């Protein structure tokens, strides 16, 4: 004599429609697999191995000032005072030599200070220096190109002052904010965002001459912004799936009970009418 073991299966079968793959299920799985970015704020210097330095990248065009007159000066509260910085910099003539694009890579100390584009380092000062300009890029620290991180890493990029007074000086007051990005592997990258305010004015020297400049005055924020890349734990995905399946069976049971109750009531009404 043989017995069919399947006749003694006491577990309910999962309906076939619940085991079919769907776009909704795929979307939910993708949501758990995808990474998310979590940000936090804290007070600290995140890049302690930098030697107290911040890398700066500057790209600016002065279409009405000859390259021989354009120079970069750097000074800060630690006593640094450098006129005509030329290391890792390049000047590209514009407008048939009447203008200039300055591109420079340099470092600043992590103390308040400034760097400015001016004619201070020129051997002879022009009579009417024209400081109208376009800033293509001003960025600090490592370049971050991370999806879902929209920060002010190049807040002055695209700033256009071509319609300003040619003899006006420009002051850009920057508050530099240390920024850390940590990926899933725990590797950290260090960059800096910044906020900016600006003003224009005509400045006279002690001799009465107008010597305009483009100033970038900076200070560091004590607050660090940290972005951490992470993925939701797998147990949360399993828990959610179990909750969905359990909820589906519960709702199906309620609907089935309601239909059965209504059917029995209807039968009783029909029997009553017949009798």
């Amino acid at each position: 004599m043989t017995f069919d073991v399947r006749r003694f299966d006491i577990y309910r079968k999962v309906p076939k429609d619940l085991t079919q793959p769907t776009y909704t299920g795929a979307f939910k799985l993708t949501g758990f697999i995808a990474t998310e970015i979590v940000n936090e704020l804290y007070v600290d210097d995140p890049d302690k191995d930098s030697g107290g330095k911040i890398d700066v990248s500057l790209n600016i065009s002065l279409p009405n000032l000859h390259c021989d007159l354009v120079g970069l000066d750097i000074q800060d509260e630690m006593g640094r005072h450098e006129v005509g910085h030329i290391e890792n910099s390049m000047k590209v003539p514009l407008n048939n030599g009447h203008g200039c694009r300055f591109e420079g890579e340099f470092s600043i100390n992590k103390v308040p200070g400034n760097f400015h584009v001016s004619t201070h380092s020129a051997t002879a000062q022009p009579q009417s220096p024209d400081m109208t300009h376009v800033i293509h890029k001003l960025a600090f620290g490592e370049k971050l190109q991370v999806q879902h991180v929209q920060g002010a890493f190049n807040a002055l990029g695209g700033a256009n002052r071509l319609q300003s007074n040619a003899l006006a000086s420009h002051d850009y007051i920057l508050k530099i904010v240390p920024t850390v990005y940590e990926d899933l592997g725990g590797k950290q990258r260090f960059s800096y965002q910044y906020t900016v305010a600006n003003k224009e004015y005509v400045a006279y020297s002690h001799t009465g001459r107008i010597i305009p400049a483009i100033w970038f005055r900076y200070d560091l924020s004590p607050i660090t912004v940290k972005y951490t890349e992470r993925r939701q734990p797998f147990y949360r995905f399993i828990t959610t799936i179990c909750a969905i399946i359990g909820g589906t069976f519960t709702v199906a049971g309620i609907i089935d009970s309601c239909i059965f109750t209504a059917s029995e009531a209807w039968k009783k009404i029909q029997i009553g009418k017949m009798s």
Side-chain angles (χ1 to χ4, degrees):
M1 175 180 283
T2 59
F3 292 94
D4 187 354
V5 178
R6 290 175 295 180
R7 295 175 57 188
F8 298 95
D9 188 356
I10 62 175
Y11 295 100
R12 298 176 63 185
K13 300 296 187 296
V14 178
K16 186 177 180 180
D17 59 338
L18 296 182
T19 63
Q20 296 299 316
T22 63
Y23 289 111
T24 303
F27 180 76
K28 181 172 288 292
L29 177 60
T30 302
F32 275 92
I33 294 177
T35 58
E36 61 178 353
I37 305 298
V38 179
N39 63 291
E40 59 181 307
L41 304 177
Y42 61 93
V43 178
D44 193 14
D45 178 8
D47 191 9
K48 296 181 175 63
D49 298 328
S50 65
K53 303 286 186 181
I54 300 176
D55 293 330
V56 184
S57 178
L58 176 64
N59 188 330
I60 183 172
S61 291
L62 298 91
N64 301 308
L65 194 63
H66 196 279
C67 280
D68 291 341
L69 303 173
V70 175
L72 176 69
D73 309 328
I74 308 172
Q75 59 190 76
D76 60 35
E77 292 186 359
M78 290 184 66
R80 181 182 184 182
H81 191 180
E82 185 177 350
V83 178
H85 178 89
I86 59 174
E87 186 179 355
N88 295 325
S89 63
M90 176 176 62
K91 299 178 184 179
V92 181
L94 301 174
N95 298 337
N96 296 320
H98 296 290
C100 186
R101 185 174 81 246
F102 178 87
E103 300 178 22
E105 304 281 343
F106 55 98
S107 63
I108 56 175
N109 294 314
K110 290 183 178 180
V111 296
N114 75 78
F115 50 92
H116 52 277
V117 178
S118 68
T119 62
H120 297 165
S121 60
T123 54
Q125 293 298 314
Q127 291 297 320
S128 300
D130 188 334
M131 282 294 165
T132 54
H133 61 277
V134 176
I135 300 174
H136 307 292
K137 178 183 179 182
L138 176 60
F140 300 87
E142 186 177 350
K143 184 178 181 180
L144 289 181
Q145 285 186 325
V146 181
Q147 191 176 12
H148 306 309
V149 174
Q150 303 295 330
F153 296 100
N154 185 24
L156 276 174
N160 187 320
R161 302 293 183 265
L162 295 180
Q163 303 303 319
S164 299
N165 182 348
L167 295 176
S169 287
H170 300 263
D171 256 11
Y172 296 101
I173 297 90
L174 315 176
K175 177 67 74 171
I176 301 175
V177 182
T179 304
V180 182
Y181 182 83
E182 183 175 314
D183 62 20
L184 286 173
K187 181 181 178 181
Q188 293 187 339
R189 296 160 62 186
F190 304 98
S191 187
Y192 296 85
Q193 303 181 61
Y194 62 93
T195 59
V196 58
N198 69 284
K199 63 179 180 178
E200 298 180 18
Y201 58 93
V202 176
Y204 294 86
S205 69
H206 62 279
T207 60
R209 294 186 58 186
I210 300 177
I211 306 179
I214 304 170
W215 297 82
F216 300 93
R217 307 182 193 272
Y218 61 87
D219 193 5
L220 271 77
S221 169
I223 303 297
T224 294
V225 178
K226 183 178 181 180
Y227 297 98
T228 305
E229 186 180 46
R230 72 181 186 185
R231 185 176 287 121
Q232 294 193 44
F234 189 69
Y235 71 82
R236 187 178 298 175
F237 172 69
I238 297 298
T239 303
T240 302
I241 294 300
C242 291
I244 292 174
I245 295 175
T248 302
F249 275 111
T250 301
V251 172
I254 293 173
I255 295 174
D256 180 68
S257 177
C258 291
I259 294 175
F260 177 78
T261 302
S263 176
E264 290 298 313
W266 177 254
K267 288 180 180 179
K268 290 180 180 179
I269 292 173
Q270 292 299 106
I271 291 174
K273 288 182 177 180
M274 293 175 62
S275 61

